[in-house]
Amino acid sequence: MQGIDLHTHSNISDGTLSPDALVTLAVECGLHTLALTDHDTMDGVDLIRKSAQAYDIKIISGVEISSQWSRPATKKTYGVHIVALDMQQPEPLLDALEIQKKIRAERAKQICQLLQGCIGQDIYQDVLALVDGEPDRITRTHIAKTLVNKGIVSRPQQAFDRFLKEGKRAFVKFDGLSLAETIQIIHQSQGYAVLAHPTRYDLSATNVRYLIELFAQLQGDAVELPPSSEALSTRHMVDRMVEQFNLKVSIGSDFHGDNMPWIKLGNTPVPKAGQQGIWNAFR
Ligand code: AMP
Ligand code: MN
Ligand code: MN
Ligand code: MN
């Protein structure tokens, strides 16, 4: 337990704890540094800062940005998540997130329309009820949860496997910022760009290596270390790439509360000797 968690979600997006409850749990877990990184929104950051005032814990501003990149050779576009941390001048990023939120809201409608063709009913209003009627907060987690609540699938994972993941009938890509734009805007906002969960995109090993190299070329700052639940060979591959491209490392659990009960807050991988933690650069 290192006392640092730089990738977490609240119920502003697809976590289940309020920002306030997240802080309380973080303090109970013995964390001294916490970043809230909800999907395409920083709406929880002020809330969590306020809650944290009562405790001895450092809150880092954060957001997990839905981004995309492509390989010139294949012209295929892939989704990628970039965690932005410690923005000192967040305005450029906040402006970009307003557009990301509109895209997110529109995409949720499109997904529900495609789902209607698969299951014969429109679940959009039920999905919307899970996010207090705010469509720009809808994630595929909420859609999966609604499909479980309606008895159409038995588990959220089944909703992804049957309908929601890439290649399935209700998949809609998130057509927002490119990887280059994302990193540029994070830097304009004086924050750090972190490549989130590099080995969780269903990419071939070749494409993972290409992505990390591209991220480094575009001046990305740090790569998240894979959790210990992933194969040791996966961790070794990331360690080698981090060293080769002189990248820093970040550690985050990707905590989602009861939506992913197997992920424990603060349960983060231990950096290897010599790896530079992005948290050492926090202001
Ligand atoms: P979205 O940003 O709307 O595409 O939703 C992404 C969220 O859905 C991720 O942060 C995960 O929490 C969840 N998710 C994505 N892919 C899967 C998957 N294959 N199985 C389970 N959950 C997933
Ligand atoms: Mn999520
Ligand atoms: Mn993610
Ligand atoms: Mn996440």
Side-chain angles (χ1 to χ4, degrees):
M1 173 51 138
Q2 302 158 92
I4 302 173
D5 198 328
L6 303 177
H7 186 159
T8 68
H9 296 275
S10 76
N11 61 2
I12 307 260
S13 66
D14 59 350
T16 55
L17 296 187
S18 66
D20 192 54
L22 186 62
V23 166
T24 312
L25 181 62
V27 171
E28 272 172 27
C29 292
L31 296 189
H32 58 75
T33 306
L34 172 71
L36 175 63
T37 57
D38 277 321
H39 293 284
D40 299 296
T41 178
M42 289 178 66
D43 289 357
V45 173
D46 285 345
L47 290 170
I48 202 165
R49 280 235 160 91
K50 210 168 209 175
S51 304
Q53 279 172 1
Y55 304 101
D56 191 16
I57 185 169
K58 181 168 176 160
I59 301 295
I60 303 300
S61 65
V63 53
E64 182 170 15
I65 303 169
S66 309
S67 186
Q68 47 186 344
W69 64 283
S70 59
R71 281 194 77 150
T74 57
K75 294 218 168 76
K76 194 171 161 6
T77 301
Y78 305 90
V80 63
H81 285 175
I82 301 299
V83 164
L85 294 176
D86 200 32
M87 279 62 68
Q88 301 297 300
Q89 302 283 343
E91 289 75 19
L93 186 51
L94 289 170
D95 288 348
L97 292 177
E98 284 311 304
I99 300 168
Q100 293 280 102
K101 286 178 181 178
K102 291 201 173 85
I103 295 168
R104 180 170 283 286
E106 196 48 44
R107 168 175 171 263
K109 269 192 220 157
Q110 290 168 357
I111 294 173
C112 288
Q113 271 164 15
L114 289 172
L115 270 176
Q116 194 172 358
C118 305
I119 62 174
Q121 55 175 307
D122 182 5
I123 64 165
Y124 181 72
Q125 292 304 328
D126 302 88
V127 175
L128 202 53
L130 293 182
V131 289
D132 306 320
E134 296 177 28
D136 55 12
R137 288 168 44 197
I138 300 173
T139 69
R140 285 184 291 163
T141 307
H142 298 106
I143 297 172
K145 216 170 166 174
T146 306
L147 289 170
V148 174
N149 292 344
K150 296 210 154 268
I152 292 157
V153 294
S154 53
R155 292 170 294 109
Q157 185 59 52
Q158 206 174 28
F160 280 91
D161 292 341
R162 281 180 59 191
F163 304 113
L164 300 175
K165 68 183 187 186
E166 174 135 37
K168 300 299 170 179
R169 279 168 69 193
F171 175 76
V172 179
K173 83 179 175 107
F174 196 110
D175 206 357
L177 290 170
S178 71
L179 179 58
E181 290 166 334
T182 302
I183 295 170
Q184 194 178 31
I185 292 169
I186 294 170
H187 287 167
Q188 282 167 359
S189 302
Q190 294 177 32
Y192 300 117
V194 177
L195 177 59
H197 43 69
T199 51
R200 304 295 301 265
Y201 297 110
D202 263 331
L203 294 170
S204 66
T206 310
N207 274 341
V208 173
R209 285 194 289 265
Y210 185 93
L211 170 61
I212 296 177
E213 182 169 359
L214 178 66
F215 177 76
Q217 277 168 3
L218 294 171
Q219 312 297 320
D221 298 286
V223 174
E224 263 181 14
L225 294 174
S228 55
S229 55
E230 288 188 43
L232 204 54
S233 56
T234 301
R235 169 65 194 264
H236 287 158
M237 189 261 281
V238 173
D239 286 341
R240 279 196 303 275
M241 299 290 292
V242 159
E243 191 177 345
Q244 184 180 352
F245 296 106
N246 207 12
L247 290 155
K248 293 188 166 67
V249 298
S250 185
I251 53 174
S253 63
D254 208 1
F255 179 73
H256 281 76
D258 288 343
N259 281 342
M260 296 182 193
W262 58 91
I263 297 178
K264 303 299 175 201
L265 186 65
N267 186 7
T268 53
V270 180
K272 211 176 90 160
Q275 287 180 334
Q276 299 293 317
I278 191 70
W279 53 92
N280 292 316
F282 289 160
R283 287 140 300 181

